[in-house]
Amino acid sequence: MILEHVVELGDWVLIDSSAEKPLFDQLRIQIIEGIRQGRLTPGTRLPTVRELAAKVGLAVNTVARAYRELESAGVLETRGRYGTFVARADPADAAMAAAAHSFAEAAHALGIGKADALRYLDSAFD
C-alpha cells in the first residue's frame, strides 16, 4: 500500500497567458518553486495531467510537457499507475554544489576574489 499526500497545485499555481514565458515553463518553474519553498515535499503525489490541466485552465499537452521535463531533470518521478510524485531528492542540490565548487576553484586559480567572482555570476544571469 502506498501512503500518499496529494497536493492541490491549482490552489497556488498561477498561469499568465499573456506572459512571454511559455505556459509549460511557467508551470514547470512554479512546481520547482513549490518544492524549494516546502509546499511540495518529497514523495508528494501530484494531480494527474488531466486533473491539473482542468484546474489551471491549460491544455493537457502543456501540463504533460512540464511533467516530462521535470521528470527528465529528476525533479519528479512517475510510478506507473500510482501517479507522479515529487522525487525523494532534489537533483539540483548535487548539481549546483558541484558547479559552485568548480566555479570557486576556477576563480581561486585565476586569483579572483569572491566579490569579483559573484559579479561574473550575476552578469551570467542577466
Side-chain angles (χ1 to χ4, degrees):
M1 174 186 355
I2 292 182
L3 297 176
E4 58 189 49
H5 170 252
V6 181
V7 69
E8 290 296 328
L9 292 180
D11 294 343
W12 53 268
V13 169
L14 302 172
I15 303 298
D16 181 358
S17 59
S18 65
E20 286 185 26
K21 219 176 244 315
L23 301 176
F24 81 91
D25 203 33
Q26 291 179 49
L27 177 59
R28 184 186 64 79
I29 289 168
Q30 289 183 56
I31 290 172
I32 291 169
E33 288 173 355
I35 293 167
R36 297 239 162 89
Q37 294 168 356
R39 287 180 171 168
L40 299 172
T41 57
T44 299
R45 182 180 173 276
L46 298 182
T48 67
V49 168
R50 289 186 190 285
E51 290 169 346
L52 185 55
K55 184 89 173 184
V56 297
L58 291 174
V60 170
N61 288 338
T62 301
V63 175
R65 181 173 178 187
Y67 275 21
R68 269 194 318 273
E69 291 200 7
L70 289 167
E71 187 173 8
S72 69
V75 175
L76 299 180
E77 56 191 30
T78 299
R79 300 179 192 162
R81 63 186 173 124
Y82 295 108
T84 302
F85 296 79
V86 175
R88 296 275 176 211
D90 185 349
D93 288 344
M96 292 306 297
H101 185 72
S102 295
F103 179 76
E105 282 182 345
H108 287 303
L110 295 169
I112 297 172
K114 182 179 179 179
D116 288 331
L118 289 175
R119 279 196 283 280
Y120 282 105
L121 190 57
D122 285 339
S123 70
F125 274 95
D126 294 339

